[in-house]
Amino acid sequence: MANHTGISATELAGSVGLILAVLVEVGAVLGNGTLLVVVLRTPGLQDAFYLAHLCVVDLLAAASIMPMGLLAGPPGLGSVPLDPSSCRAARFLSAALLPACTLGVAALGLARYRLIVHPLRPGARPAPALVLTAVWAAAALLGALSLLGPPPAPPPAPARCSVLAGGLGPFRPLWALLAFALPALLLLAAYGSIFLVARRAALRPPRGTRLRSDSLDSRLSFLPSLRPRLPGGKAALAPALAVGQFAACWLPYGCACLAPAARAAAAEAAVTWVAYSAFAAHPFLYGLLQRPVRLALGRLTRQALPRLPKVCMQQAWNPRTLLQRLQRLHKDPALGPSEGPEQTPELAGQSSNVSRGHLRDFS
């Protein structure tokens, strides 16, 4: 009975994990696809190049390594075994796309730092194409390290197709340092500087118009402030969310890379899908929490939804039609149409204006 109960609990935990993984996959595809469409359809959006790059990386991960994590056999969540060629492909994609994501997030944070802290120095900003070329060069180099690891084992043994389960061999500490420690330091430095500037701007005594404080609040007004005494206001909340999300999603995976391969393989499924949840969180953290992106999404949604015909509504709610109906209701039935009370032009104009005002309130 105890053995049967243990198997049932294991199967239940596996089913719950599979459902959560599917939800993360669907959220990553829908969120990044929607944000990519909004960025491409909205000219003049700040950090559009970096946002589009982050969406593309997340979509590539959602189309390649996440389905492998759902369908592949242990240590994945599925039961499909991988042959040696597929195992090498899974190693390379995991070792390349994860650094491309983390380094892309760090590049986005540095771009926002330069845009907010140094808005009047455009010459100090490198070209986004150059920055993202360096990101992909580093990602390709880190992906090539996976090809130097031990070869995949034959099918009866564990294939070790992931980064955590020995896919990088002795290069795992180097890969973790460049893929997680370096982006974390860059992100912490960028958003820490933004937080300090926002705090100084918020604590500065009001002297006329505070252009710096208004600029920070307009560029970083992600959410309403949690409390009025929060130093920095709305601008201080954005760095905390960005750094907190990065640490919550990627810190367990980076620590597992530094652990022994046997212990890392035991916790591979959990820490891998915690890291994959970042692909679903990026569209909300870096997209929907920004006011320009929300406004652009609302505009595109209104344009995409079918509009109801206004002919019947205009005829039904025409002010003249309403006045005629009110006159018919208040008329004496014994009187003819010509004997009813007449309205002066001033009264008719006032009634029309009042009707139009009520119509604007209900529209």
Side-chain angles (χ1 to χ4, degrees):
M1 179 64 69
N3 189 16
H4 179 70
T5 305
I7 293 176
S8 299
T10 304
E11 292 177 352
L12 180 60
S15 301
V16 172
L18 184 61
I19 293 173
L20 293 178
V22 171
L23 292 178
V24 170
E25 168 79 16
V26 173
V29 173
L30 295 181
N32 287 283
T34 303
L35 181 58
L36 184 61
V37 171
V38 172
V39 171
L40 295 179
R41 294 288 299 274
T42 307
L45 193 65
Q46 296 290 349
D47 302 328
F49 208 77
Y50 293 100
L51 279 176
H53 169 261
L54 188 60
C55 292
V56 170
V57 173
D58 291 346
L59 288 175
L60 287 176
S64 58
I65 58 177
M66 292 178 73
M68 286 186 183
L70 286 173
L71 301 177
L77 298 177
S79 58
V80 179
L82 294 179
D83 55 357
S85 60
S86 300
C87 186
R88 286 184 176 275
R91 282 184 185 180
F92 178 79
L93 290 174
S94 298
L97 288 179
L98 296 184
C101 179
T102 56
L103 292 173
V105 170
L108 178 60
L110 291 175
R112 289 183 172 177
Y113 162 76
R114 290 189 296 268
L115 181 66
I116 294 170
V117 180
H118 304 291
L120 301 179
R121 293 169 56 187
R125 307 173 194 169
L130 181 62
V131 174
L132 296 182
T133 301
V135 167
W136 279 104
L141 178 62
L142 294 175
L145 292 178
S146 66
L147 303 178
L148 303 178
R160 293 183 178 180
C161 300
S162 65
V163 174
L164 295 180
L168 288 173
F171 299 104
R172 279 200 311 154
L174 177 63
W175 187 86
L177 178 66
L178 297 178
F180 298 111
L182 179 61
L185 291 177
L186 293 176
L187 198 68
L188 187 62
Y191 282 108
S193 301
I194 293 173
F195 175 79
L196 292 178
V197 172
R199 186 175 182 274
R200 288 197 300 265
L203 297 178
R204 185 182 305 167
R207 293 180 299 176
T209 58
R210 295 184 298 170
L211 298 179
R212 175 66 65 179
S213 177
D214 293 339
S215 174
L216 288 170
D217 284 337
S218 62
R219 295 176 188 272
L220 287 177
S221 57
F222 288 170
L223 289 174
S225 58
L226 295 179
R227 51 182 180 176
R229 290 174 292 179
L230 182 65
K234 292 176 285 187
L237 186 60
L241 288 176
V243 175
Q245 182 268 334
F246 189 91
C249 292
W250 297 110
L251 185 60
Y253 199 93
C255 293
C257 289
L258 301 177
R263 298 182 60 182
E268 180 180 6
V271 298
T272 298
W273 280 99
V274 169
Y276 287 173
S277 65
F279 302 139
H282 289 159
F284 300 96
L285 181 61
Y286 297 103
L288 295 181
L289 293 184
Q290 285 187 350
R291 181 179 297 176
V293 176
R294 290 199 307 269
L295 294 177
L297 179 60
R299 176 178 54 83
L300 294 176
T301 303
R302 288 191 298 269
Q303 293 177 358
L305 291 177
R307 297 183 179 180
L308 297 175
K310 298 182 179 180
V311 179
C312 299
M313 297 295 295
Q314 291 177 356
Q315 292 179 357
W317 294 96
N318 193 4
R320 294 183 179 179
T321 305
L322 289 175
L323 290 176
Q324 292 176 1
R325 292 181 178 178
L326 290 175
Q327 290 175 4
R328 291 174 185 174
L329 290 175
H330 290 286
K331 275 182 182 180
D332 189 0
L335 297 177
S338 60
E339 300 176 0
E342 296 182 357
Q343 280 189 330
T344 61
E346 293 81 2
L347 183 58
Q350 293 177 2
S351 302
S352 300
N353 292 333
V354 172
S355 300
R356 292 191 184 96
H358 286 294
L359 288 175
R360 285 194 295 268
D361 293 338
F362 284 104
S363 60

